[in-house]
Structure formats: structure tokens, C-alpha cells
Amino acid sequence: VSDASGCSMIALLHTGAAKFPQNLLSRARQAVSPLLLAGVFKGCSSIVSRKLASHGFGASMAAMSSFPPQRYHYFLVLDFEATCDKPQIHPQEIIEFPILKLNGRTMEIESTFHMYVQPVVHPQLTPFCTELTGIIQGMVDGQPSLQQVLERVDEWMAKEGLLDPSVKSIFVTCGDWDLKVMLPGQCQYLGLPVADYFKQWINLKKAYSFAMGSWPKNGLLDMNKGLNLQHIGRPHSGIDDCKNIANIMKTLAHRGFIFKQTSKPF
């Protein structure tokens, strides 16, 4: 039996069950069962998946049906790295600016924005900063300023369709520091406006505590441990931290968690 005919028979048994006499329906299902075990159902699933893919639905049927729909079309996972030292230097300046665009239906990464930023107040990175973040001087020298990077973020948001009023998206950070303290503080220091889309976000620590009933004191490390996930990449690498956040979100979503905004309106 081909995949197509197997699919047809399965569909017939499901959609036409009410039209069959009960004794014939039972005998038909018994006849089809060995075919399912032999892989016809797998073939049917692949055909349906290909059909979905042709219409822009790239996720498998299992992925699509394994968690409830989210409130947002897209989650924008963000994790800054900034200049730092012991004792702390002031003002801190963003030196890594990564964003992952996460599809709210499939919880898969669809697009990445990633740039390093040239600090201007303290242009020389400290040894402590390099040891913590893995960012060396050559990675920030000659890079765009924060103002230029913010302009490119806006261009990327437009290109990805995220500025369309009908598209619901929200940033996600590990804590409130990135968008409550770091970005608005540096923008204020430099006299730059803060785009409205940066003014609401989901704090993953709060979301995790709602879902799991415990506060992750050590951030991503505790969340990965609590969900039995392997840590991705290097701690305090902005882009790697974003990948960990995305992985944690996907895992919580598959467990049925619905993400909601945690920040208070500005």
C-alpha cells in the first residue's frame, strides 16, 4: 500500500466513521492496523508535513500540536554584554547586541541580529571584562557606535516585519537589567531616544518561577539545570546566552506554559 493510499484509507476511517456500520468499521480498522505498524502512518505524516511546509508551516505536526498557542507571534530574545570591571566602571556601555527572532507558534529561531559595539567613554576593555565575556579588544575596535547599531536594529525589525502593527512581538531577557537599566541608562547618557518596542519585555526568570515554582538564583545555569538542559556555549557570551534563553523558552512552551509580559508599562 502506498503512502497516499494509506493516508486515504486512514482519513476515510476517521472522517467517515459515522457512515459505516459498526461491524464493518471494526473489521476495517483491524485490517489497517498492521499497515500503520508497517509505517504507512509515518508516510502519511510526512505527506501532511510536506503539504504544511508548502504553505509556509515548516514545523512538524508533532511540534505544532505539542503546546498551546502563545499570545505573541514572535519573541525577540536579547542579552547585552557591557563594559565592566571590579570595582564597577561608570557609565557601562553595551559592547555586544544580539537578538534572536523566535517564532511564537513553533518556538524555533527564524532570524538573528548580532553586532559588536564600539564603546566611547571607556574604549579600552578591561582584563576583567574580556575574561568574563570572552570579548577581546579587536572585536569592538572599529565597530559601529550604539546609535548606529540601534539604527540597524530598527532596519532589521522593519525587514523582519516586526514593525507591522498587526504583528505582536515582545522582547525576552534574562532579568530586567538589559531593558530597564542598561539600554535606557546608556541612551540617556548619550542623548539618544529609546524605541517604544524596547519598553516592554518578558523577564525569563519571572516566567520560569511562575512555571516551575522556584526562583533561579543563578539565572540561566539554574534554569537549564531545573529543566535538565545542556548549557549552550559560553556563559556571558551574549549570543550564546540568547540561545540558552530560546532553548529554555521552547522547553517551557512544550510543557504548556504561556508567556506573558512581566515588565510594567513605562
Side-chain angles (χ1 to χ4, degrees):
V1 180
S2 68
D3 286 350
S5 61
C7 287
S8 299
M9 186 175 289
I10 292 164
L12 182 63
L13 291 177
H14 280 289
T15 60
K19 301 176 183 178
F20 276 81
Q22 193 61 38
N23 62 329
L24 292 179
L25 181 62
S26 175
R27 288 169 60 189
R29 281 175 173 158
Q30 289 174 10
V32 170
S33 293
L35 298 175
L36 298 183
L37 293 174
V40 169
F41 185 74
K42 182 178 179 182
C44 176
S45 176
S46 67
I47 289 172
V48 175
S49 294
R50 289 196 297 272
K51 280 285 186 183
L52 288 169
S54 71
H55 291 283
F57 296 94
S60 67
M61 291 177 68
M64 291 176 66
S65 61
S66 61
F67 56 88
Q70 296 290 330
R71 296 183 172 194
Y72 296 92
H73 297 114
Y74 296 100
F75 297 104
L76 305 176
V77 179
L78 176 149
D79 189 272
F80 296 138
E81 298 304 324
T83 53
C84 54
D85 203 2
K86 283 191 173 181
Q88 188 60 276
I89 57 176
H90 297 283
Q92 283 188 276
E93 299 172 86
I94 295 168
I95 54 176
E96 185 180 5
F97 204 127
I99 307 172
L100 298 181
K101 179 188 176 188
L102 202 65
N103 186 304
R105 180 175 52 80
T106 65
M107 300 306 285
E108 298 292 342
I109 298 168
E110 285 195 353
S111 182
T112 301
F113 178 93
H114 186 212
M115 292 189 72
Y116 291 99
V117 190
Q118 169 77 62
V120 294
V121 182
H122 300 287
Q124 195 69 30
L125 302 183
T126 64
F128 174 83
C129 182
T130 293
E131 183 179 352
L132 179 70
T133 66
I135 299 173
I136 62 173
Q137 191 65 39
M139 295 166 72
V140 297
D141 283 345
Q143 295 302 308
S145 66
L146 180 62
Q147 180 177 0
Q148 292 169 321
V149 171
L150 289 173
E151 290 170 357
R152 295 189 190 182
V153 168
D154 203 66
E155 292 169 1
W156 177 78
M157 296 274 288
K159 179 176 70 72
E160 295 293 329
L162 297 166
L163 301 184
D164 184 335
S166 67
V167 175
K168 292 185 66 178
S169 65
I170 189 167
F171 279 90
V172 184
T173 58
C174 184
D176 291 322
W177 175 83
D178 300 81
L179 293 178
K180 187 175 183 179
V181 177
M182 187 62 237
L183 182 64
Q186 189 177 358
C187 284
Q188 183 179 27
Y189 184 89
L190 296 173
L192 301 174
V194 178
D196 285 343
Y197 45 71
F198 286 126
K199 295 180 180 179
Q200 50 275 319
W201 63 89
I202 294 169
N203 177 344
L204 184 64
K205 292 180 182 179
K206 290 182 181 178
Y208 177 90
S209 69
F210 296 152
M212 302 296 289
S214 62
W215 183 261
K217 293 180 181 179
N218 294 313
L220 294 175
L221 296 176
D222 280 359
M223 288 186 271
N224 277 328
K225 184 177 180 181
L227 295 169
N228 296 313
L229 298 174
Q230 282 288 108
H231 192 86
I232 299 169
R234 183 190 196 284
H236 301 295
S237 156
I239 190 66
D240 287 347
D241 284 353
C242 284
K243 292 174 183 176
N244 281 286
I245 293 171
N247 201 28
I248 291 164
M249 291 184 69
K250 182 178 180 179
T251 302
L252 290 176
H254 275 274
R255 294 186 177 200
F257 185 74
I258 305 295
F259 290 92
K260 303 172 185 177
Q261 177 178 330
T262 61
S263 65
K264 295 179 180 179
F266 273 53

